[in-house]
Amino acid sequence: KDCDLVLLVIDARAGIVALDRHFADWLRRFDKPVVLVANKCEARGTAAGALAEGWGLGLGEAVAISAEHGEGMGELRDAIAARIGASPPGEENPEAEEPPAALAGPLKLAIVGRPNVGKSTLVNALIGEERMLTGPEAGITRDAIAVDWTHKGRAIRLVDTAGLRRRAKVEGKLERLSTGDTLRTIRFAEVVVLVVDSEQMLEKQDLAIARLVIDEGRALVLAVNKWDLVTEPAAALKSLVRRIEVSLPQVKGIKVVTLSALTRQRVHALIDAVVAAHKVWNKKVPTPILNRWLQHMVGQHSPPLVGGRRIKPRYMTQTGARPPAFTLFCSKAADLPEDYRRYLVNGLREQFGLPGTPIRLTLRQGENPFAGKK
């Protein structure tokens, strides 16, 4: 009902079967354009018979393709463009105005978590439609399903994903493919919402998923679902915050949103947290301000001595965002202790308002200006 175009795919090897006729009759009840697609036409002689049989469905001429081998994709794109009135690829209007930079692309948001924590129910609650199939059984969602949505004028591309179990418990080819699909979604996301069950908060698998998101450099927001079932909210939230501080110190200040996807309690507070996390993830700090801060940090707590000589931090600059990345030039860079790196990263997070986002700090050895001179 919501689509602009329907592709009815038939099996060219099997020919037209009763189910093909059933769905062709069913589609004619809707006022929607339909393109008939004959798949598995890679074998010679298959296409001609399928195309001839396809006319019997009353949906026009079938487009012969082979999805497995990538054959016929150009013809299929042309057929799609012709039916929806769009220009074929490569024939766009060169005089068309460029979209504003702010509208160039939607915020890419992935919803992840263990099976049966309510990810699909949460997506339905956010968009206000029963778009995702839900139920009490785990594993209903098998593919990463994208939904384009707008919140307070902000375009968002929501992706619901299959639940992630421990690798040892993944069974069968279908679940392995679903897991791979979810991991790819995380890599291409900008913000990832990790949904956890309020009755089983931050289990080992939840922490493994959170660390994966952090390692990929994505902004992370924690959504605690089924909060309406918690009998002592204050004590439960305090315990959760303590667990995050101990288990996820690398994203200190991560935003936690308690909600109920089923009753839609506080679901829109989650999107406000996502937009805020995305803003932090894109943040940039001017170099002069950064170096004044560095002098202050070194003055408060100097690096330790190495081989009788003190390590000297000289200069820092931000070399990237999404997530924020900084490069520190110092003497004996390879010998700077890990605890001093954490001291600088925590200082960056507190001083420049970078809570809950991964921070990359790269160390580089400053060149000796007297090297090679006599």
Side-chain angles (χ1 to χ4, degrees), residues 1-31:
K1 290 180 181 179
D2 294 334
C3 75
D4 297 313
L5 177 69
V6 178
L7 302 185
L8 177 59
V9 185
I10 62 173
D11 186 336
R13 297 176 187 170
I16 302 298
V17 297
L19 273 177
D20 296 327
R21 296 189 181 91
H22 166 78
F23 284 114
D25 292 338
W26 179 72
L27 284 171
R28 272 192 285 271
R29 303 174 193 171
F30 300 90
D31 187 21

Side-chain angles (χ1 to χ4, degrees), residues 164 178-188 212 216:
L164 288 172
S178 299
T179 299
D181 208 16
T182 299
L183 298 178
R184 281 191 296 273
T185 300
I186 292 173
R187 293 187 188 105
F188 285 101
L212 172 65
E216 291 293 337

Side-chain angles (χ1 to χ4, degrees), residues 162-227:
L164 288 172
R165 298 201 295 169
R166 284 189 299 164
R167 185 177 299 179
K169 291 190 175 183
V170 174
E171 299 175 352
K173 182 178 180 181
L174 182 57
E175 188 174 2
R176 287 196 296 272
L177 290 172
S178 299
T179 299
D181 208 16
T182 299
L183 298 178
R184 281 191 296 273
T185 300
I186 292 173
R187 293 187 188 105
F188 285 101
E190 295 173 340
V191 183
V192 176
V193 170
L194 173 58
V195 184
V196 300
D197 192 321
S198 64
E199 297 178 315
Q200 300 171 323
M201 288 190 290
L202 277 190
E203 290 191 336
K204 187 175 181 180
Q205 178 63 4
D206 294 323
L207 293 172
I209 298 171
R211 292 182 185 120
L212 172 65
V213 173
I214 295 164
D215 291 342
E216 291 293 337
R218 309 300 98 180
L220 179 64
V221 175
L222 189 66
V224 186
N225 193 21
K226 308 177 185 178
W227 194 250

Side-chain angles (χ1 to χ4, degrees), residues 149-335:
W149 179 59
T150 302
H151 174 72
K152 296 181 181 179
R154 180 67 182 269
I156 298 175
R157 188 169 183 79
L158 261 171
V159 183
D160 184 24
T161 62
L164 288 172
R165 298 201 295 169
R166 284 189 299 164
R167 185 177 299 179
K169 291 190 175 183
V170 174
E171 299 175 352
K173 182 178 180 181
L174 182 57
E175 188 174 2
R176 287 196 296 272
L177 290 172
S178 299
T179 299
D181 208 16
T182 299
L183 298 178
R184 281 191 296 273
T185 300
I186 292 173
R187 293 187 188 105
F188 285 101
E190 295 173 340
V191 183
V192 176
V193 170
L194 173 58
V195 184
V196 300
D197 192 321
S198 64
E199 297 178 315
Q200 300 171 323
M201 288 190 290
L202 277 190
E203 290 191 336
K204 187 175 181 180
Q205 178 63 4
D206 294 323
L207 293 172
I209 298 171
R211 292 182 185 120
L212 172 65
V213 173
I214 295 164
D215 291 342
E216 291 293 337
R218 309 300 98 180
L220 179 64
V221 175
L222 189 66
V224 186
N225 193 21
K226 308 177 185 178
W227 194 250
D228 52 324
L229 303 179
V230 176
T231 55
E232 297 182 9
L237 186 59
K238 185 178 180 180
S239 175
L240 175 62
V241 170
R242 190 183 306 114
R243 175 100 160 125
I244 293 172
E245 290 175 351
V246 172
S247 302
L248 297 173
Q250 62 271 52
V251 283
K252 187 177 180 181
I254 181 176
K255 185 68 176 176
V256 179
V257 181
T258 56
L259 54 87
S260 171
L262 193 61
T263 63
R264 302 192 178 185
Q265 173 190 353
R266 288 179 49 80
V267 292
H268 288 293
L270 175 62
I271 294 300
D272 293 336
V274 165
V275 172
H278 185 258
K279 186 177 180 180
V280 171
W281 191 63
N282 283 276
K283 195 165 189 177
K284 295 182 179 179
V285 181
T287 300
I289 296 175
L290 196 58
N291 281 280
R292 285 197 293 270
W293 165 85
L294 178 63
Q295 291 176 4
H296 174 73
M297 293 293 285
V298 173
Q300 278 194 328
H301 178 41
S302 299
L305 295 172
V306 175
R309 293 184 178 183
R310 190 172 298 280
I311 299 173
K312 296 179 180 179
R314 293 193 173 96
Y315 179 77
M316 181 181 280
T317 184
Q318 184 170 359
T319 50
R322 306 164 64 88
F326 302 89
T327 298
L328 173 65
F329 295 84
C330 63
S331 63
K332 297 182 176 292
D335 297 324

Side-chain angles (χ1 to χ4, degrees), residues 10-17 20-21 36-57 60-64:
I10 62 173
D11 186 336
R13 297 176 187 170
I16 302 298
V17 297
D20 296 327
R21 296 189 181 91
L36 184 63
V37 182
N39 193 23
K40 305 182 184 179
C41 287
E42 61 272 12
R44 292 184 178 181
T46 304
L51 295 177
E53 274 194 274
W55 284 104
L57 295 178
E61 184 178 5
V63 179

